[in-house]
């Protein structure tokens, strides 16, 4: 037996390293923190909002699982004060519970973002957070954040 202090991982039934050993004695957590678990690609159609008018844009989000494990995933999108997810501009945060994403799988989402009469000309920052969960949506393993800008003219 080697005395180098390295831990050998036992393969799971499917041949992969089990992500659920994170709370056991094995040091799986550091493996999850080395690389980002998700890739977030965004696109806005139309390209900009109209200022001081009721207008909307559609945000297309492509979320890719970069891990070799099946993971429970959610996406949280936050808007600034003058934008929202409804026509009245009341809802500023939206959580989308995607469910289980397989390894190397990609999911496409579509979200409408609304501006109103109080949306002045300028740039507005939208925050997207992809969250990897353990067991249920109350336990978080890792997260990836992305900020993007929507212009109002």
């Amino acid at each position: 037996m080697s005395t180098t202090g390295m831990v050998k991982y036992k393969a799971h039934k499917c041949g992969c390293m089990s992500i659920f050993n994170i709370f056991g004695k094995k040091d799986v957590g550091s493996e999850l923190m080395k690389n980002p678990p998700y890739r977030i690609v965004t696109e806005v159609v139309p390209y900009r909002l109209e200022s001081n008018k009721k207008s909307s844009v559609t945000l297309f989000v492509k979320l890719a699982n970069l891990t070799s494990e099946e993971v429970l995933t959610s996406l949280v999108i936050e808007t600034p004060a003058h934008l929202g997810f409804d026509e009245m501009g009341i809802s500023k945060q939206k959580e989308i519970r995607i469910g289980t994403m397989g390894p190397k799988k990609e999911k496409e989402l579509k979200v409408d973002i609304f501006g109103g009469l109080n949306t002045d000309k300028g740039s507005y920052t939208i925050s997207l957070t992809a969250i990897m969960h353990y067991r249920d949506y109350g336990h978080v393993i890792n997260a990836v954040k992305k900020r993007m800008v929507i212009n109002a003219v």
Side-chain angles (χ1 to χ4, degrees), residues 121-133:
K121 290 183 181 181
S123 299
Y124 296 92
T125 303
I126 307 294
S127 174
L128 296 97
T129 307
I131 304 170
M132 178 190 294
H133 297 276

PDB file of all heavy atoms in Angstrom, residues 121-133:
ATOM      1  N   LYS A 121     -33.416  55.571 -20.034  1.00  0.00           N
ATOM      2  CA  LYS A 121     -32.339  55.166 -20.927  1.00  0.00           C
ATOM      3  C   LYS A 121     -31.133  54.756 -20.090  1.00  0.00           C
ATOM      4  O   LYS A 121     -30.844  55.364 -19.076  1.00  0.00           O
ATOM      5  CB  LYS A 121     -31.940  56.314 -21.849  1.00  0.00           C
ATOM      6  CG  LYS A 121     -32.967  56.650 -22.892  1.00  0.00           C
ATOM      7  CD  LYS A 121     -32.471  57.749 -23.806  1.00  0.00           C
ATOM      8  CE  LYS A 121     -33.526  58.073 -24.833  1.00  0.00           C
ATOM      9  NZ  LYS A 121     -33.100  59.125 -25.760  1.00  0.00           N
ATOM     10  N   GLY A 122     -30.444  53.724 -20.548  1.00  0.00           N
ATOM     11  CA  GLY A 122     -29.248  53.288 -19.839  1.00  0.00           C
ATOM     12  C   GLY A 122     -29.044  51.789 -19.937  1.00  0.00           C
ATOM     13  O   GLY A 122     -29.731  51.087 -20.679  1.00  0.00           O
ATOM     14  N   SER A 123     -28.090  51.302 -19.161  1.00  0.00           N
ATOM     15  CA  SER A 123     -27.745  49.883 -19.128  1.00  0.00           C
ATOM     16  C   SER A 123     -28.228  49.277 -17.816  1.00  0.00           C
ATOM     17  O   SER A 123     -28.043  49.860 -16.752  1.00  0.00           O
ATOM     18  CB  SER A 123     -26.236  49.705 -19.243  1.00  0.00           C
ATOM     19  OG  SER A 123     -25.785  50.232 -20.467  1.00  0.00           O
ATOM     20  N   TYR A 124     -28.806  48.096 -17.901  1.00  0.00           N
ATOM     21  CA  TYR A 124     -29.335  47.393 -16.730  1.00  0.00           C
ATOM     22  C   TYR A 124     -28.678  46.022 -16.654  1.00  0.00           C
ATOM     23  O   TYR A 124     -28.638  45.287 -17.637  1.00  0.00           O
ATOM     24  CB  TYR A 124     -30.848  47.262 -16.828  1.00  0.00           C
ATOM     25  CG  TYR A 124     -31.559  48.594 -16.798  1.00  0.00           C
ATOM     26  CD1 TYR A 124     -31.865  49.271 -17.975  1.00  0.00           C
ATOM     27  CD2 TYR A 124     -31.895  49.189 -15.594  1.00  0.00           C
ATOM     28  CE1 TYR A 124     -32.502  50.493 -17.946  1.00  0.00           C
ATOM     29  CE2 TYR A 124     -32.533  50.419 -15.554  1.00  0.00           C
ATOM     30  CZ  TYR A 124     -32.832  51.063 -16.738  1.00  0.00           C
ATOM     31  OH  TYR A 124     -33.456  52.280 -16.691  1.00  0.00           O
ATOM     32  N   THR A 125     -28.163  45.685 -15.468  1.00  0.00           N
ATOM     33  CA  THR A 125     -27.439  44.432 -15.279  1.00  0.00           C
ATOM     34  C   THR A 125     -28.375  43.349 -14.745  1.00  0.00           C
ATOM     35  O   THR A 125     -29.040  43.532 -13.737  1.00  0.00           O
ATOM     36  CB  THR A 125     -26.270  44.621 -14.295  1.00  0.00           C
ATOM     37  OG1 THR A 125     -25.423  45.659 -14.807  1.00  0.00           O
ATOM     38  CG2 THR A 125     -25.466  43.352 -14.155  1.00  0.00           C
ATOM     39  N   ILE A 126     -28.393  42.230 -15.455  1.00  0.00           N
ATOM     40  CA  ILE A 126     -29.170  41.056 -15.071  1.00  0.00           C
ATOM     41  C   ILE A 126     -28.180  40.032 -14.511  1.00  0.00           C
ATOM     42  O   ILE A 126     -27.121  39.811 -15.077  1.00  0.00           O
ATOM     43  CB  ILE A 126     -29.885  40.440 -16.295  1.00  0.00           C
ATOM     44  CG1 ILE A 126     -30.696  41.483 -17.039  1.00  0.00           C
ATOM     45  CG2 ILE A 126     -30.730  39.251 -15.892  1.00  0.00           C
ATOM     46  CD1 ILE A 126     -31.855  42.041 -16.299  1.00  0.00           C
ATOM     47  N   SER A 127     -28.537  39.423 -13.389  1.00  0.00           N
ATOM     48  CA  SER A 127     -27.677  38.425 -12.755  1.00  0.00           C
ATOM     49  C   SER A 127     -28.301  37.039 -12.913  1.00  0.00           C
ATOM     50  O   SER A 127     -29.481  36.852 -12.599  1.00  0.00           O
ATOM     51  CB  SER A 127     -27.510  38.770 -11.277  1.00  0.00           C
ATOM     52  OG  SER A 127     -26.800  37.769 -10.620  1.00  0.00           O
ATOM     53  N   LEU A 128     -27.508  36.077 -13.383  1.00  0.00           N
ATOM     54  CA  LEU A 128     -27.950  34.693 -13.523  1.00  0.00           C
ATOM     55  C   LEU A 128     -27.067  33.814 -12.657  1.00  0.00           C
ATOM     56  O   LEU A 128     -25.836  33.936 -12.698  1.00  0.00           O
ATOM     57  CB  LEU A 128     -27.843  34.220 -14.974  1.00  0.00           C
ATOM     58  CG  LEU A 128     -28.723  34.926 -15.984  1.00  0.00           C
ATOM     59  CD1 LEU A 128     -27.962  36.003 -16.702  1.00  0.00           C
ATOM     60  CD2 LEU A 128     -29.260  33.923 -16.966  1.00  0.00           C
ATOM     61  N   THR A 129     -27.667  32.929 -11.877  1.00  0.00           N
ATOM     62  CA  THR A 129     -26.916  32.011 -11.018  1.00  0.00           C
ATOM     63  C   THR A 129     -27.406  30.594 -11.256  1.00  0.00           C
ATOM     64  O   THR A 129     -28.578  30.296 -11.009  1.00  0.00           O
ATOM     65  CB  THR A 129     -27.094  32.367  -9.529  1.00  0.00           C
ATOM     66  OG1 THR A 129     -26.784  33.741  -9.336  1.00  0.00           O
ATOM     67  CG2 THR A 129     -26.188  31.521  -8.657  1.00  0.00           C
ATOM     68  N   ALA A 130     -26.524  29.718 -11.744  1.00  0.00           N
ATOM     69  CA  ALA A 130     -26.834  28.302 -11.914  1.00  0.00           C
ATOM     70  C   ALA A 130     -26.329  27.585 -10.662  1.00  0.00           C
ATOM     71  O   ALA A 130     -25.171  27.727 -10.282  1.00  0.00           O
ATOM     72  CB  ALA A 130     -26.163  27.743 -13.150  1.00  0.00           C
ATOM     73  N   ILE A 131     -27.211  26.820 -10.024  1.00  0.00           N
ATOM     74  CA  ILE A 131     -26.893  26.211  -8.727  1.00  0.00           C
ATOM     75  C   ILE A 131     -26.952  24.694  -8.837  1.00  0.00           C
ATOM     76  O   ILE A 131     -27.914  24.134  -9.364  1.00  0.00           O
ATOM     77  CB  ILE A 131     -27.867  26.703  -7.644  1.00  0.00           C
ATOM     78  CG1 ILE A 131     -27.840  28.235  -7.571  1.00  0.00           C
ATOM     79  CG2 ILE A 131     -27.518  26.103  -6.291  1.00  0.00           C
ATOM     80  CD1 ILE A 131     -28.927  28.828  -6.716  1.00  0.00           C
ATOM     81  N   MET A 132     -25.903  24.036  -8.317  1.00  0.00           N
ATOM     82  CA  MET A 132     -25.849  22.580  -8.219  1.00  0.00           C
ATOM     83  C   MET A 132     -26.287  22.193  -6.801  1.00  0.00           C
ATOM     84  O   MET A 132     -25.734  22.693  -5.827  1.00  0.00           O
ATOM     85  CB  MET A 132     -24.418  22.080  -8.475  1.00  0.00           C
ATOM     86  CG  MET A 132     -24.263  20.578  -8.347  1.00  0.00           C
ATOM     87  SD  MET A 132     -22.538  20.047  -8.367  1.00  0.00           S
ATOM     88  CE  MET A 132     -22.056  20.486 -10.012  1.00  0.00           C
ATOM     89  N   HIS A 133     -27.293  21.321  -6.713  1.00  0.00           N
ATOM     90  CA  HIS A 133     -27.859  20.950  -5.418  1.00  0.00           C
ATOM     91  C   HIS A 133     -27.498  19.519  -5.038  1.00  0.00           C
ATOM     92  O   HIS A 133     -27.209  18.686  -5.899  1.00  0.00           O
ATOM     93  CB  HIS A 133     -29.384  21.076  -5.458  1.00  0.00           C
ATOM     94  CG  HIS A 133     -29.859  22.472  -5.690  1.00  0.00           C
ATOM     95  ND1 HIS A 133     -29.996  23.378  -4.682  1.00  0.00           N
ATOM     96  CD2 HIS A 133     -30.232  23.112  -6.831  1.00  0.00           C
ATOM     97  CE1 HIS A 133     -30.439  24.517  -5.178  1.00  0.00           C
ATOM     98  NE2 HIS A 133     -30.590  24.384  -6.481  1.00  0.00           N
TER      99      HIS A 133
END
